[in-house]
Amino acid sequence: MSYPIFVETEGVSIVFVGGGRIALRKLRKLIKEGARVTVVAPEIIDEIKVLEAAHGNLTLIEATFETKHIQGAALVFLVSNRPEVNDLAGAYCAEHGILYNDCMDVEKSLFRNGAVSKFGEIEIAIGSGGKRPGVSKWLIEQVKKAIPDNIDDIVDKYDALRQEARLKYDDSKLRENYIKEAFGAYLVQLEGQTHEN
């Protein structure tokens, strides 16, 4: 059983051991989100090299992997096509408390990726054990269709109710009950308006 978390990546050191297509697919979003990404591999594909020129937070090291390359990393993706390299890096990560994803052998991973979609400050992720990415992507598309167009208004209303609760009640249980009841009533009202239209 896994425990889902959302990790803030801006400014975080993330290393890819391997510089092929799997690395390319995974690192694109990470560099856009502001992570400090390093790719280590004897050969790195041209598409990744193009990204390095466009993003100052992507560093390429064309060299045989050594454990020094992942020292100080917060997350490591093992995407080498050589299992012995992934095993060496994974063993180092495990010994030094670094979270790693062995993309070639999900059973060895300490974390896995899921399909993620963001709606303002609301994030939704779906995981499939790291083995069925197509199913996760399909499901996230189904969820997107169910998100109301006014999700930002709903989030704003919830935030306003939390603020009201803080002003009205010192007791956390009373605040929680107030938010639950008031937000529930708001959602019922919204549902009624939807059916009328």
Side-chain angles (χ1 to χ4, degrees):
M1 180 81 176
S2 60
Y3 183 81
I5 61 171
F6 291 92
V7 178
E8 294 297 331
T9 56
E10 186 169 356
V12 172
S13 175
I14 300 174
V15 178
F16 283 79
V17 177
R21 300 231 166 264
I22 296 173
L24 174 65
R25 193 171 67 242
K26 291 182 176 292
L27 67 79
R28 280 183 171 139
K29 182 171 172 127
L30 290 167
I31 57 177
K32 284 181 185 173
E33 294 292 331
R36 292 183 296 113
V37 177
T38 301
V39 177
V40 181
E43 295 179 16
I44 297 172
I45 62 173
D46 290 339
E47 291 91 332
I48 293 176
K49 292 178 180 177
V50 169
L51 287 174
E52 182 191 31
H55 298 275
N57 56 332
L58 175 60
T59 302
L60 307 184
I61 301 172
E62 288 196 86
T64 300
F65 170 75
E66 297 178 48
T67 55
K68 68 179 183 181
H69 294 129
I70 55 178
Q71 289 175 355
L75 299 174
V76 174
F77 289 86
L78 308 179
V79 292
S80 172
N81 58 6
R82 295 176 55 204
E84 67 275 15
V85 171
N86 292 334
D87 288 345
L88 173 64
Y92 180 89
C93 289
E95 185 180 336
H96 292 86
I98 301 169
L99 290 174
Y100 68 97
N101 180 330
D102 187 333
C103 300
M104 302 307 180
D105 189 346
V106 70
E107 301 299 329
K108 295 179 181 177
S109 300
L110 286 183
F111 78 91
R112 296 180 297 275
N113 298 101
V116 179
S117 197
K118 194 167 183 177
F119 308 88
E121 292 184 48
I122 301 298
E123 294 174 276
I124 296 172
I126 295 177
S128 60
K131 299 175 184 174
R132 301 158 201 91
V135 174
S136 296
K137 287 176 185 173
W138 175 76
L139 280 171
I140 208 78
E141 289 304 315
Q142 302 312 304
V143 170
K144 280 182 181 179
K145 294 173 190 173
I147 301 296
D149 293 336
N150 62 338
I151 187 63
D152 290 335
D153 296 336
I154 294 169
V155 170
D156 290 344
K157 179 64 174 180
Y158 186 83
D159 289 345
L161 290 172
R162 286 184 70 202
Q163 189 60 36
E164 283 177 29
R166 285 191 190 107
L167 295 172
K168 285 185 175 195
Y169 303 104
D170 291 329
D171 182 86
S172 62
K173 190 67 178 166
L174 292 174
R175 283 196 303 267
E176 183 182 321
N177 287 338
Y178 175 81
I179 295 167
K180 182 178 177 181
E181 290 175 14
F183 190 60
Y186 169 72
L187 293 176
V188 167
Q189 179 186 359
L190 272 185
E191 189 69 24
Q193 291 172 357
T194 302
H195 290 310
E196 288 171 12
N197 294 335

